[in-house]
Structures are given as structure tokens and as C-alpha cells.
Amino acid sequence: MDKTAIKEIDSKLWEEYQETHSPRIRNKILMAYLDIVKINARKMQAVYKNHAELEDIVNQGVIALIDCIDKYDYRRGVQFDSYASIRVRGSIIDYIRKQDWVPRSIRKKSIDIERACMDLQNELSRAPTDDELAARMGMQVEEMNHMIGEMQGFMVLSYEELLQDNLDDSEEHKSSIKTPEQVLQTDELKRVIANSIDELSEKEKTVISLYYYEELKLKEIAFVLGLTESRISQLHSKALMKLKCRVGGYMRE
């Protein structure tokens, strides 16, 4: 984000905007935080790259960012960039979901393999190995990995939706007074996610780290690790599937 421009966005400017709704002030705030849209659009590129144009995704994000500016209340003490990032990301996810581009065959494969993964996880009290999961699916490991790689975009969207639904730090949620039970539940869910990442293989953890924290594209991760892009796609999808099964299993308890 434009740090210099953000420094100029103080409480006085927010107060002036809330009183006047001046397009000039709104555009100044919008330009200062525009990178929120660009960053989230890039992060979701693996999902929509074959089904939507970057320009459409960015436009959707800008609309959401403008809505955030109009609804933001600086007096509640919530950081605008945190609030807006979650809202923009959620808007992009909703837009992609409404395109309904996922073939039924992919949806069915995803349901079948996630169910097998969750059943094994419950039986073993740990994440299943590739051999165990492939055996439960009645296929070879190579065949299973190929199938999981085909579901990469859908896996990203599916996992993002799960987090969006269960780790919702919206302005209303953050500004309201939480009960001790709500605080405990949120902290526990974050702990489950962290533990689930620790249980991934070293390559899967590396891919997740490079993709979500270093914000590298799959092609760039492939270059860094010396693997093919299709192999990185498989590792990414498999890691997200394991995380979704673990988090989904926790939410159903």
C-alpha cells in the first residue's frame, strides 16, 4: 500500500468525509488503499485465471473498497486496512462463486476425496498419508495426485469460503463485545488451523508459505523448488484439502 498516502489519512479526514461524503476525499482514501484490491486479486488468481479477467476482479474489489469507505466508522478503533481487506476478499470470493464455472465432475471428485480424507482423519486421529488416501479412493497415488491437481482452483475457492465463513472479522463482529465463549472459539479455531499446517509435509508447508505469505505465483514457486508447475498445483491442492478437512471436522464437532 502507499504508506506515504496512508499517513495522510487521519481521523480528521475520516471525520470530514463522514460529514461531507466529498468525492474528492473518498477518491483520496481510495487511492491510498487501492493496493488492498490488487493484493487480494493476485492472491485469488489461481482460482479465476481461466474463468474471469483480472480487470473484472479488480473492478469488483474496487466497488467493495468504496463500500468499505462509505461504511467505515473510524471511532470504533478498527484498523481500516484489516476491515477492508476482509470485505474486499469476501466480495471477490462471492463474485467468483456466482460465476458457477466449476464442472459437476470436479465438484463430485472434490466431495468424494474430501469425504475419504475426513473419514480417515477421524479413524486415524491424524492426517492420512498419500498411500492411505489413495487406497481408500481405490486408485494409485499418481492417479490421485493428478485428480487433486485438476481441482486446484476449486480447492482454493472452497478453502477460502470456509475461512471467510468462520473467521469473519467484519466491522460489526470486531466492534461488538464478544462473550468469553466467542473469544475462546475464535482462538481455538486459529489454533486448529496452525496445528493443521504443522501436520503438512515439508513440501506442502513450503508451498503454502510461499503462496500465502510470500505471495508467489505457482509458476514462481515451481522455479524456486525446482519442480513442475503441475506438481506445485498438486501439492497446493492437497495441502488445502487436508486443511479444509481438519478445519471442517473441527467445525462439525
Side-chain angles (χ1 to χ4, degrees):
M1 280 172 279
D2 189 336
K3 294 182 180 179
T4 302
I6 288 175
K7 287 181 180 178
E8 299 177 6
I9 312 299
D10 55 15
S11 59
K12 289 183 178 179
L13 193 67
W14 280 112
E15 183 179 4
E16 185 180 351
Y17 179 67
Q18 289 185 0
E19 290 177 354
T20 66
H21 288 281
S22 163
R24 177 187 60 80
I25 298 176
R26 185 195 66 190
N27 290 340
K28 183 175 182 178
I29 297 172
L30 178 66
M31 295 308 297
Y33 288 100
L34 194 58
D35 275 357
I36 289 176
V37 175
K38 297 176 182 177
I39 289 169
N40 280 287
R42 284 200 300 269
K43 281 184 176 180
M44 298 299 294
Q45 204 161 18
V47 179
Y48 66 78
K49 63 181 180 180
N50 295 322
H51 310 281
E53 297 295 329
L54 176 61
E55 182 179 357
D56 294 333
I57 299 297
V58 169
N59 288 341
Q60 186 67 28
V62 169
I63 292 170
L65 183 58
I66 291 173
D67 187 58
C68 288
I69 293 171
D70 287 338
K71 293 179 179 178
Y72 179 64
D73 186 347
Y74 71 95
R75 293 167 296 187
R76 294 186 177 182
V78 179
Q79 288 288 336
F80 178 76
D81 52 355
S82 299
Y83 160 62
S85 183
I86 292 169
R87 291 284 302 275
V88 167
R89 196 172 184 82
S91 176
I92 291 173
I93 290 171
D94 287 342
Y95 176 80
I96 296 170
R97 181 167 44 193
K98 288 175 183 176
Q99 305 311 303
D100 196 27
W101 50 265
V102 182
R104 286 186 180 180
S105 59
I106 295 294
R107 291 184 186 276
K108 184 179 185 308
K109 287 177 182 178
S110 176
I111 291 171
D112 290 345
I113 198 166
E114 285 182 20
R115 183 178 294 130
C117 180
M118 195 168 293
D119 287 346
L120 282 169
Q121 195 164 263
N122 291 335
E123 293 170 15
L124 302 170
S125 298
R126 60 169 172 80
T129 64
D130 289 357
D131 288 336
E132 290 167 340
L133 186 56
R136 178 61 62 94
M137 293 293 295
M139 57 180 64
Q140 298 295 317
V141 172
E142 293 78 10
E143 182 185 359
M144 181 189 71
N145 284 339
H146 178 73
M147 182 180 75
I148 291 174
E150 288 183 331
M151 299 187 298
Q152 200 259 343
F154 180 66
M155 282 293 185
V156 174
L157 180 61
S158 182
Y159 183 64
E160 291 281 353
E161 287 176 334
L162 180 66
L163 294 186
Q164 195 75 27
D165 291 342
N166 293 293
L167 285 178
D168 181 13
D169 287 328
S170 65
E171 179 193 27
E172 294 79 13
H173 195 193
K174 291 196 79 172
S175 60
S176 61
I177 299 175
K178 292 184 182 180
T179 65
E181 291 78 10
Q182 288 173 319
V183 173
L184 183 63
Q185 185 179 29
T186 300
D187 291 344
E188 178 66 12
L189 179 55
K190 290 179 179 178
R191 185 189 66 78
V192 169
I193 294 172
N195 289 344
S196 300
I197 292 175
D198 286 340
E199 292 177 359
L200 299 175
S201 71
E202 286 304 314
K203 284 185 178 179
E204 290 168 350
K205 280 192 283 189
T206 300
V207 170
I208 289 295
S209 176
L210 292 175
Y211 184 83
Y212 286 100
Y213 297 101
E214 301 300 327
E215 298 181 4
L216 298 184
K217 297 178 181 178
L218 297 184
K219 185 183 294 185
E220 295 169 331
I221 298 173
F223 177 78
V224 170
L225 298 184
L227 299 171
T228 64
E229 187 174 350
S230 62
R231 179 56 179 153
I232 296 299
S233 179
Q234 291 171 4
L235 288 167
H236 188 206
S237 298
K238 196 184 301 178
L240 292 181
M241 179 188 67
K242 290 178 180 178
L243 292 175
K244 186 184 177 188
C245 286
R246 179 70 184 275
V247 174
Y250 167 76
M251 294 306 300
R252 291 182 179 89
E253 290 177 358

